[in-house]
Amino acid sequence: MAARPCELTPDRSARHLFGAKMRTHRELADMSLEALSNVVNISRSHLSRIETAESMPPPDLPPRLDAAFGTDGIFQELYRLASKEIHPDQFQRRMELEARARVIGEYSGQIVPGLLQTEDYARAQFRMANPWKSEDGIEELVTARLSRQSVFRSGPLMDYSAVLDETMLRRGFGGTAVMRAQLAHLVELTHTRVTMVQVLPFDLMGHALVGGSLMLMTLNDGARIAYEEGITTGTLTEDLESVVDHQRAYDLLRASALSPGDSAAFIRSVMEALPT
């Protein structure tokens, strides 16, 4: 006799509701987990964990489910809600603002910004920061990190720039192969329709943003926000005078940094210096 399906609790969270809706539409379509696995190209066991809310859906699953069930974007809407629940409370408003931003400027001195990270780099960084966390917990964090990168693919064309300290390029996570792939990804992003990445070399010496990271956001309604992040905390600033001061410091860094072309060449030189 077939095992009785685990009882679901869709009222607990958006992630639980996502899983419950997935089971409902799967059963309405008279599909087993194996059959759905063949359609969406995700393992049966992974789909089972998503239905019971044990795992966060990967970012490419919702549109596949909407296509399979003809649900007109329902799963993509649920995913946007569920992805916000993974992040600590202090970052939720930052995420909401980031999703509404049309212009983003970012400085990072130690870690590749989340919007620019590869999956393997993100996983290695989370493992280093959370050595006691379970693998499922790490995978949830990785999924949430990658889901933020949808800002480059959805809505009106955005304008993203980043200034990356040379320290960040040379402080590796995950080993040589992971860093080589991450650096290659940064090279690709140095100058695209929506991204511009510049390197701040050691030659500059000190500057106003040493010791932290900064994100400046201009929203679709013209509002301007600054977000400063430390090791475990983040601070949103919406006071215009303070945001302008942060913008001046960021603009000075951009003016002092290498051009996108020279930055790409610099990053390649760091890649070439990695051990084989």
Side-chain angles (χ1 to χ4, degrees):
M1 185 174 67
R4 185 177 180 181
C6 176
E7 184 176 351
L8 304 184
T9 52
D11 57 334
R12 285 187 59 186
S13 70
R15 182 169 63 175
H16 285 77
L17 181 59
F18 185 104
K21 288 290 185 183
M22 184 172 122
R23 178 181 289 180
T24 296
H25 284 282
R26 177 175 63 78
E27 293 177 343
L28 286 172
D30 196 23
M31 296 178 71
S32 64
L33 282 169
E34 288 87 353
L36 183 58
S37 172
N38 291 331
V39 172
V40 298
N41 198 30
I42 291 177
S43 72
R44 179 199 179 283
S45 59
H46 195 178
L47 290 174
S48 177
R49 293 195 299 272
I50 291 169
E51 279 197 357
T52 57
E54 295 175 48
S55 291
M56 179 67 187
D60 55 350
L61 177 60
R64 295 180 189 179
L65 292 176
D66 283 325
F69 299 137
T71 41
D72 193 28
I74 287 176
F75 285 97
Q76 294 175 74
E77 292 175 5
L78 285 172
Y79 176 78
R80 282 192 288 271
L81 293 175
S83 64
K84 294 178 182 178
E85 294 176 342
I86 304 175
H87 296 269
D89 290 342
Q90 68 263 34
F91 300 131
Q92 286 195 14
R93 177 157 170 77
R94 175 266 186 91
M95 284 184 58
E96 294 166 0
L97 294 170
E98 183 180 274
R100 292 168 50 200
R102 297 278 60 85
V103 180
I104 292 178
E106 195 160 17
Y107 164 74
S108 182
Q110 298 292 333
I111 297 174
V112 174
L115 291 176
L116 306 180
Q117 289 182 5
T118 63
E119 180 176 341
D120 287 339
Y121 181 97
R123 185 174 292 110
Q125 190 240 312
F126 281 128
R127 282 175 176 160
M128 183 68 68
N130 305 273
W132 300 281
K133 205 171 191 67
S134 69
E135 281 302 303
D136 283 347
I138 293 295
E139 290 307 309
E140 285 199 5
L141 292 171
V142 172
T143 297
R145 172 65 50 83
L146 298 181
S147 73
R148 288 174 50 204
Q149 298 175 7
S150 65
V151 297
F152 293 134
R153 303 183 295 273
S154 61
L157 203 63
M158 77 173 313
D159 181 1
Y160 175 89
S161 65
V163 177
L164 310 180
D165 198 282
E166 180 179 346
T167 303
M168 186 219 69
L169 303 177
R170 300 189 184 278
R171 188 181 304 282
F173 285 90
T176 300
V178 171
M179 278 307 297
R180 182 172 283 111
Q182 176 64 74
L183 293 172
H185 184 55
L186 291 176
V187 169
E188 293 174 354
L189 297 175
T190 51
H191 198 183
T192 72
R193 289 196 310 150
V194 296
T195 64
M196 185 176 294
V197 175
Q198 296 172 258
V199 173
L200 195 68
F202 289 145
D203 296 348
L204 182 65
M205 306 296 284
H207 58 83
L209 299 180
V210 166
S213 64
L214 173 70
M215 174 180 280
L216 296 163
M217 295 172 276
T218 301
L219 307 188
N220 47 14
D221 62 0
R224 300 171 66 181
I225 314 290
Y227 178 78
E228 296 177 274
E229 189 169 65
I231 296 175
T232 59
T233 60
T235 303
L236 279 167
T237 302
E238 301 183 55
D239 174 69
L240 182 58
E241 183 175 351
S242 179
V243 173
V244 168
D245 286 342
H246 284 84
Q247 183 72 57
R248 287 171 177 157
Y250 178 72
D251 289 344
L252 182 58
L253 281 191
R254 287 194 71 184
S256 304
L258 300 177
S259 70
D262 288 343
S263 294
F266 188 94
I267 296 170
R268 289 192 190 97
S269 73
V270 176
M271 290 173 62
E272 292 169 359
L274 290 172
T276 56

